Amino acid sequence: MKTPIDCVSAGATAALLNGGADFQMLDLWAITLNGGSVIRWHGGSGDPIQRADKAYVFAAAAGQPTIANGAYALGPAIDRGKISTKLGLEVATLDMQISADVSDRINGAPLIPFAQGRGFDGATVVLYRAFLPAWGQPITGAVVAFSGRVTALKDVSRAKFTMTISAWTVLLNVNMGPDVFQAGCLNTHYDANCTLTPTNVPGTVAAGATTLAFNTSLASPDHFFDKGTITFTSGANAGLSRAVQSYVAASGAMTVAFPLPFAPAAGDAFNAVRGCLLTMADCTAQSNLIHFRGQPFTPPAIQGVL
């Protein structure tokens, strides 16, 4: 059972589920059409008091998310499928079987012809699970049970149709080419496309080192080893490598991305390998601009009227 902590209504207590008393659960549907219109329905048709077209109004308390705010009218009969939660990138779906008659309309059009005319194309749907002490009383709180976009319309008849809602992970189901336009270089430093060869730069640690930061005997320019690696060849950390988070020429100060198991001692030796910031400037500094695979001059996407 989910606790309605996402939204709590003004003047209500969030302790409804923990008080031991009976409570009612209500589906709230917020459907945003492609043109921006929002249709709000509640699924209280199972309650005799709500068979009339009465609206449930939800208003979040101060400091609470207001995304569920609005008046939810008694909509058509909606028989929804089970809500599943899936790990990873698998797309969860929810089926809405909507039964309607001529009195159910959207923007003045009967619901079934509206759906057949692709009125739900590009629409997004949020299902809230609302909790209230009893039918007809104000909603205590609401939690987001499912959200996504309309991806299919099927089993359309004169009285009902089924609409499939896919979770937002469905947006990852797109074909992509080998290259993506981005300012940074698409190569990995020192890979076959980069063509550069890593070179070890020897150095030693100065006194006062910690497991994350230490001064060194290196004298290379600022940021020379940023995003590079350091491998210790002596001392308690011998054989261990770490990615370099930052390097400053003053005192050869170096910070690693992850702590070492032991603080290096003064005189511990290491080999450092230059890193790359994947920028055009850094590639030019390494005399490898011919192999740079970024697109720093690609204009940003700008919406406008042609």
Side-chain angles (χ1 to χ4, degrees):
M1 177 65 67
K2 295 182 178 180
T3 304
I5 56 174
D6 282 0
C7 300
V8 178
S9 64
T13 173
L16 174 65
L17 301 184
N18 299 323
D22 293 338
F23 59 88
Q24 304 295 334
M25 293 183 292
L26 182 69
D27 283 348
L28 304 179
W29 298 91
I31 304 175
T32 303
L33 302 179
N34 192 28
S37 300
V38 180
I39 310 300
R40 298 185 185 273
W41 291 329
H42 71 74
S45 56
D47 166 33
I49 300 176
Q50 300 304 321
R51 289 192 183 279
D53 190 10
K54 179 180 178 181
Y56 272 105
V57 178
F58 183 82
Q64 292 289 318
T66 60
I67 185 173
N69 282 5
Y72 296 80
L74 178 62
I78 300 176
D79 184 14
R80 65 173 175 84
K82 293 182 179 180
I83 300 174
S84 61
T85 302
K86 300 181 179 181
L87 297 177
L89 298 180
E90 187 175 357
V91 180
T93 59
L94 175 66
D95 283 341
M96 298 173 59
Q97 187 181 73
I98 302 176
S99 301
D101 55 31
V102 293
S103 64
D104 296 308
R105 295 173 176 266
I106 292 182
N107 295 335
L111 187 55
I112 300 296
F114 180 84
Q116 290 176 323
R118 308 175 70 90
F120 288 107
D121 281 11
T124 62
V125 179
V126 181
L127 168 61
Y128 301 99
R129 196 64 165 161
F131 302 83
L132 56 161
W135 293 117
Q137 294 190 17
I139 297 172
T140 298
V143 64
V144 176
F146 194 87
S147 67
R149 66 188 303 179
V150 177
T151 53
L153 199 69
K154 56 188 178 182
D155 302 330
V156 180
S157 68
R158 298 179 61 183
K160 62 183 179 180
F161 62 92
T162 300
M163 191 160 62
T164 299
I165 315 302
S166 298
W168 290 111
T169 46
V170 72
L171 297 178
L172 300 176
N173 291 343
V174 295
N175 295 323
M176 298 181 67
D179 288 1
V180 179
F181 288 107
Q182 62 183 43
C185 184
L186 295 168
N187 296 332
T188 299
H189 203 203
Y190 302 124
D191 69 2
N193 292 322
C194 174
T195 73
L196 291 176
T197 302
T199 301
N200 290 328
V201 180
T204 56
V205 176
T210 68
T211 57
L212 271 174
F214 41 86
N215 292 335
T216 69
S217 61
L218 299 173
S220 301
D222 278 347
H223 310 297
F224 189 88
F225 297 103
D226 286 7
K227 313 308 176 188
T229 58
I230 178 173
T231 303
F232 284 87
T233 57
S234 68
N237 298 302
L240 293 178
S241 297
R242 287 292 186 270
V244 178
Q245 185 67 27
S246 64
Y247 166 79
V248 181
S251 304
M254 185 175 289
T255 302
V256 293
F258 300 98
L260 294 161
F262 308 100
D268 284 358
F270 61 81
N271 287 323
V273 175
R274 179 175 185 167
C276 183
L277 301 180
L278 304 180
T279 64
M280 178 178 284
D282 209 9
C283 199
T284 301
Q286 298 180 71
S287 303
N288 197 39
L289 185 59
I290 191 174
H291 295 111
F292 179 70
R293 292 180 61 215
Q295 299 86 28
F297 305 116
T298 302
I302 299 175
Q303 294 183 348
V305 178
L306 298 178

